[in-house]
Amino acid sequence: MADIKDPENTVIITLKDGPVVIELLPDVAPKHAERMKELARAGAYDNVAFHRVIDGFMAQTGDVEHANMEKDYNPGRAGTGGSDLPDLPAEFSRLPHDRGTLGAARSQNPNSANSQFFINFKDNHFLNGQYTVYGRVIEGMEHVDKIARGEPPAKPDRMISVKVAADAE
């Protein structure tokens, strides 16, 4: 497993091909990092589909309302929901959307991020300053690269479980 420096601000996403270790960036986007930990600790991200996966761009997931593949999964609505928590204000920074960074998905309104996020497959610098970066993959990007493609994928992959590293020890 990766060398985890701060277990309280590290999330482990279990995919079908193995674990993805994400270092959250609470110093850059404290509200987004806190929200991810809150939803992970509640088990809200477990079994949630990757509903929008674009080759050479990114893999999007986190619709805890419509994309739980074990409970009321609705492929037609996946990507339209969030959590029952309030939307978050944008926390834009100078951090670039590089390969492996975690970005907050949102609607046209910059202050509409909630539970959904995406992982960049490559450097997507055209997103810089428009979407909050709040984490980066430090191990397991090869597993992210294997996520089924599509909008939505015919057979979507899911986050089997999402845990805060401090709780997984």
Side-chain angles (χ1 to χ4, degrees):
M1 200 57 108
D3 179 26
I4 296 173
K5 297 173 184 64
D6 182 1
E8 181 57 31
N9 288 298
T10 305
V11 173
I12 301 166
I13 300 175
T14 304
L15 301 180
K16 71 178 185 331
D17 293 305
V20 178
V21 182
I22 295 172
E23 174 185 62
L24 296 175
L25 305 170
D27 51 330
V28 174
K31 289 178 173 65
H32 285 77
E34 194 55 43
R35 174 64 53 87
M36 181 161 215
K37 292 189 298 183
E38 184 177 355
L39 291 171
R41 286 190 160 123
Y45 282 132
D46 296 354
N47 294 304
V48 172
F50 283 89
H51 65 270
R52 183 170 175 246
V53 185
I54 303 170
D55 203 31
F57 180 30
M58 58 89 217
Q60 186 171 335
T61 185
D63 181 347
V64 300
E65 186 177 359
H66 301 298
N68 184 323
M69 295 180 73
E70 299 293 316
K71 184 179 76 188
D72 302 327
Y73 177 58
N74 185 337
R77 302 232 19 227
T80 64
S83 72
D84 54 6
L85 300 169
D87 288 348
L88 296 168
E91 294 180 297
F92 299 155
S93 69
R94 296 194 178 275
L95 278 183
H97 281 266
D98 287 339
R99 173 173 163 76
T101 53
L102 200 69
R106 61 171 178 80
S107 69
Q108 295 293 84
N109 177 348
N111 299 312
S112 64
N114 189 296
S115 62
Q116 293 189 45
F117 63 92
F118 57 91
I119 302 171
N120 288 294
F121 285 131
K122 68 177 192 71
D123 293 355
N124 289 314
H125 293 173
F126 66 94
L127 299 173
N128 293 353
Q130 299 178 63
Y131 292 83
T132 300
V133 174
Y134 65 102
R136 65 172 60 96
V137 174
I138 58 172
E139 184 178 285
M141 195 60 197
E142 69 276 15
H143 306 313
V144 175
D145 288 334
K146 294 178 185 170
I147 295 170
R149 306 308 201 250
E151 296 183 75
K155 291 186 176 166
D157 285 319
R158 70 179 80 186
M159 297 185 286
I160 296 167
S161 74
V162 181
K163 304 274 185 253
V164 177
D167 303 341
E169 294 175 353

